[in-house]
Structure formats: structure tokens, C-alpha cells
Amino acid sequence: MLAVLVRLLLLALAVLLPSAWPTAWARPDLVVLVVAGVAVTRGPTAGLLVGLAGGWLLDVVPPGAEPLGAGALAYGAVGWLLGLTRGRLTGSPLLPWAVALGGAALVLVVRGTAAAAGFGGALPRDLLLTWTATLLVSVVVLPVVLAAERALARRRWA
């Protein structure tokens, strides 16, 4: 139960913190970093569930997203796919970052496709800047999420 509360707190912070980000800068996608951290440490099922929860939070919290549920499906799919890499990430400590940034790219492709279909407005330049901001912020955020997940697993709370 504590693991669920910790993950929900991390997701809530990931959804709300970008609103405090300076408007002149691109906003990083913190939700995908939380989803990636959970997925690579806990596996595809946890990644899917955390991705669905994070996507729903992003869809519902203003300004929201159109169509409702598309973010949840995108983040859920990314969480599941990243969770499948769980056993293969023993080669290098940089692999979680590569996987997380690949997941961020997948989410941004979905966002760009939705914008091309007339839902929302995302320019390719803005998507690239968001991915770059996610890359820079992941250096700090991803180790925190991975450490929290490992601490929960070590205490057998997860």
C-alpha cells in the first residue's frame, strides 16, 4: 500500500511541477520519467498501471488533453514497453536513461500525431524542445525515482 501512495505522490508532483516551470523554457515531461523509473525496476505490469494513472492525471488536470484518455493509453503503452526491458538493463548504468528518453520520444510522437489530427497544437519544434528538456531534467529526476523504487523493494513494501 505504501508503494502505491509513493507512486501516486511522485505522479502528482510530476504533473504539477511543470506548471511552475518558467514559461519561456520548454517544459520537461516528468511523468514519463516516473513511468520509466517504475517500469525498469518493477516490470511491465507496474509500468502499465503507473503509465495509465499518470496519463489520466495529465488528461484531467487543467489544461487537460484531447481526446480524453489518449495520454493514458500512450503512457500506459510506454510503461508496458519499458517494463519489458527490465531484465535486459544490467549492461550499463546509462541504459535506464536511454530507455526513458526513448519512452519520452514515443509519447511525443503520439502527441504530435494527435496534433496533426487536429487535437491540440504541438509544433515539431516544441516537441523537440520538450524532449531536450526531458533529457536534461532526467539526469536529476530518474535517479531519485529509481532510488525510491529500490528502497521500496528492499524493504519489501513494493
Side-chain angles (χ1 to χ4, degrees):
M1 187 65 177
L2 182 62
V4 172
L5 292 174
V6 168
R7 290 176 188 139
L8 286 175
L9 177 66
L10 285 173
L11 284 174
L13 286 172
V15 169
L16 296 175
L17 279 179
S19 64
W21 200 258
T23 56
W25 298 354
R27 293 183 179 183
D29 189 353
L30 299 178
V31 173
V32 78
L33 297 177
V34 173
V35 171
V38 171
V40 299
T41 56
R42 302 298 301 158
T45 304
L48 172 70
L49 294 174
V50 171
L52 286 172
W56 272 107
L57 280 173
L58 281 176
D59 286 346
V60 173
V61 172
E66 293 180 30
L68 186 63
L73 290 175
Y75 284 97
V78 165
W80 180 73
L81 287 171
L82 296 182
L84 292 175
T85 65
R86 178 180 178 206
R88 296 167 185 83
L89 293 178
T90 58
S92 169
L94 296 177
L95 286 177
W97 275 278
V99 168
L101 295 174
L106 287 173
V107 168
L108 292 174
V109 164
V110 170
R111 191 175 299 155
T113 304
F119 295 108
L123 299 173
R125 178 186 161 278
D126 295 336
L127 296 174
L128 182 61
L129 287 174
T130 298
W131 186 82
T132 305
T134 304
L135 166 73
L136 295 173
V137 171
S138 71
V139 173
V140 175
V141 173
L142 199 56
V144 171
V145 174
L146 291 172
E149 282 296 317
R150 289 182 183 133
L152 290 170
R154 191 174 35 244
R155 292 184 174 95
R156 293 194 170 96
W157 290 339

